[in-house]
Amino acid sequence: MSVTETNIKVIAIPLTEIEPNPDQPRKFFDEAKLEELAAQFRSVGQLQPIVVRPAGDKFQIVMGERRWRAMHLVEDATTIEAKVVSSVDDENAFIMGISENIGRADMTLMEEAQAYADLVGSGYKAERIAEMFGKTTDYVKWRMDLLNLTTDIAELVAAGKIKADFAWYLSKLSPANQKVAVTRYMKGDFKTETDASTFAQALRMKENQEGFFSEKELSEKEKEDKAKERKQAKGKVDQVERAGTLLEELAKLTPTELAELFQGEVGKHLDAVERVRKAAAEAVKKLRKAKAMSEAKQLTVRPELEVESEEDIEGEEEPSESEMAEAAAEEPSEMELEVAA
């Protein structure tokens, strides 16, 4: 929608004559952030007017509810600068409200998901929504998937207790398995966000019976062969542990010491260690998935299981900064989303 300058004017409107839009996509407003903005108003004044439209004998906010709320915290403030837009219908007001809030740190994942879903309900396609807000189509669909979460888990996501990537993998599970995974997550059973997401993926595979262990009865010969394979695999892991010890000793040396020891062959040895690093990273990825599959296979799902709130978990530690950074970098790729859809 475009609004020409001729139908926009800026005036000071009494705070009491303005009301929020009940369809505003953002429902949560951080009190500390509102106070910060109020302090800015006290110091330098209001730098950007809000946008309102006529609504009976009052005005309804189109964009800027956060500023309107913050102005209420400023002592002796009775008015707020506002652009009055007279040609905005309900649908366009909603779209403008979403445009203002998408990407804000304090707009919750669930609010964003519901906003996209409301637009779909108004007849918009995911492709058009993505274009409107500078997102990919997969991103919009992924966010809307979060609406498949159970109410109690959605509340944890909205409160920031569950991060985005894990929340998406949870949304693909049955309600019972959502509760299984979240209960373990809240108890701190997973070392990283990756472990939590991998476990949720394994639960989904179990639901779909994809890629899980064969249930057929093995013959005596097959049992013997399997036992040999396990023994060989254990031997390889033992060798890996010995190699790890050697690498740890190598890592204790300084670059100068390494250069003197290898005398012109540093590049060759660097290539060898790099190959080991890449293989180890791939092995870790697969072992993590194998661990999750093994745990998921052994679970007996209890549909009546209640998700424990944060207050019910004693001794739970906050995620470290490195874990939070890791989680932020691990949102599902578009390829993963396409495969999982």
Side-chain angles (χ1 to χ4, degrees):
M1 180 204 71
S2 62
V3 180
T4 64
E5 293 296 326
T6 57
N7 60 4
I8 294 180
K9 56 182 178 178
V10 179
I11 59 175
I13 301 177
L15 291 170
T16 55
E17 292 184 13
I18 298 174
E19 57 188 17
N21 185 341
D23 294 326
Q24 150 77 281
R26 184 166 58 161
K27 306 302 179 185
F28 170 75
F29 293 86
D30 188 302
E31 292 298 329
K33 296 293 184 182
L34 288 177
E35 181 52 46
E36 286 180 13
L37 185 54
Q40 178 185 326
F41 288 164
R42 297 185 193 104
S43 176
V44 298
Q46 181 187 350
L47 301 179
Q48 182 180 9
I50 66 173
V51 179
V52 300
R53 61 174 178 163
D57 58 351
K58 291 193 174 185
F59 296 92
Q60 186 181 83
I61 297 172
V62 175
M63 300 174 69
E65 183 174 339
R66 179 170 167 269
R67 278 164 278 162
W68 175 74
R69 288 173 177 267
M71 190 63 79
H72 279 80
L73 303 177
V74 178
E75 300 77 7
D76 301 323
T78 58
T79 64
I80 187 170
E81 294 290 318
K83 289 182 179 181
V84 180
V85 183
S86 58
S87 58
V88 179
D89 59 21
D90 290 344
E91 182 176 333
N92 281 318
F94 180 69
I95 293 172
M96 291 173 71
I98 296 176
S99 298
E100 180 188 31
N101 290 311
I102 293 299
R104 286 189 181 276
D106 53 353
M107 186 180 194
T108 72
L109 294 173
M110 301 310 301
E111 287 172 342
E112 185 180 3
Q114 188 60 58
Y116 294 148
D118 288 344
L119 284 173
V120 170
S122 296
Y124 286 84
K125 300 291 186 183
E127 293 78 8
R128 174 60 180 144
I129 296 171
E131 182 182 335
M132 289 163 59
F133 300 111
K135 308 293 184 181
T136 66
T137 301
D138 284 332
Y139 177 93
V140 172
K141 290 179 178 178
W142 174 52
R143 280 292 191 261
M144 288 192 292
D145 283 341
L146 299 183
L147 299 177
N148 294 324
L149 295 169
T150 62
T151 302
D152 48 359
I153 293 175
E155 289 174 356
L156 292 174
V157 173
K161 308 298 184 186
I162 296 175
K163 295 182 174 61
D165 58 337
F166 181 46
W168 181 77
Y169 286 113
L170 286 172
S171 73
K172 297 307 208 178
L173 297 174
S174 66
N177 273 334
Q178 286 182 30
K179 293 182 179 182
V180 167
V182 169
T183 298
R184 289 196 59 188
Y185 182 83
M186 297 300 290
K187 287 181 177 178
D189 286 356
F190 304 112
K191 292 181 179 180
T192 66
E193 291 294 314
T194 301
D195 287 340
S197 296
T198 303
F199 179 73
Q201 286 177 283
L203 285 177
R204 186 175 181 227
M205 290 173 65
K206 182 180 180 181
E207 288 180 353
N208 298 332
Q209 293 299 308
E210 297 173 354
F212 259 75
F213 316 107
S214 172
E215 300 292 340
K216 72 172 186 177
E217 184 68 29
L218 299 179
S219 66
E220 290 301 319
K221 177 66 168 59
E222 288 173 328
K223 289 179 181 178
E224 290 178 8
D225 291 342
K226 183 64 68 176
K228 288 179 182 178
E229 289 177 9
R230 290 195 179 104
K231 185 175 181 180
Q232 290 173 354
K234 184 179 182 304
K236 291 175 182 178
V237 172
D238 291 340
Q239 292 179 47
V240 168
E241 290 179 350
R242 288 195 293 273
T245 300
L246 295 175
L247 287 172
E248 287 172 357
E249 293 176 359
L250 198 63
K252 293 176 183 177
L253 299 176
T254 66
T256 301
E257 290 171 331
L258 290 169
E260 291 176 349
L261 284 172
F262 294 133
Q263 296 184 356
E265 295 187 333
V266 176
K268 181 176 71 173
H269 298 308
L270 174 60
D271 289 343
V273 174
E274 180 65 19
R275 286 195 300 273
V276 172
R277 184 192 69 78
K278 289 181 179 179
E282 187 64 24
V284 166
K285 186 190 301 183
K286 291 182 178 180
L287 283 168
R288 178 183 282 125
K289 186 172 182 179
K291 177 175 179 289
M293 289 174 66
S294 180
E295 292 174 346
K297 186 175 186 295
Q298 296 171 31
L299 277 176
T300 300
V301 177
R302 291 163 34 219
E304 76 280 6
L305 186 66
E306 293 294 332
V307 175
E308 298 180 69
S309 66
E310 188 179 45
E311 290 74 16
D312 296 330
I313 309 298
E314 296 183 1
E316 181 181 357
E317 296 182 359
E318 290 293 319
S320 66
E321 290 186 8
S322 61
E323 288 176 328
M324 292 175 69
E326 179 186 35
E330 288 174 348
E331 290 197 351
S333 66
E334 290 186 17
M335 183 177 294
E336 288 173 321
L337 288 165
E338 188 175 326
V339 170

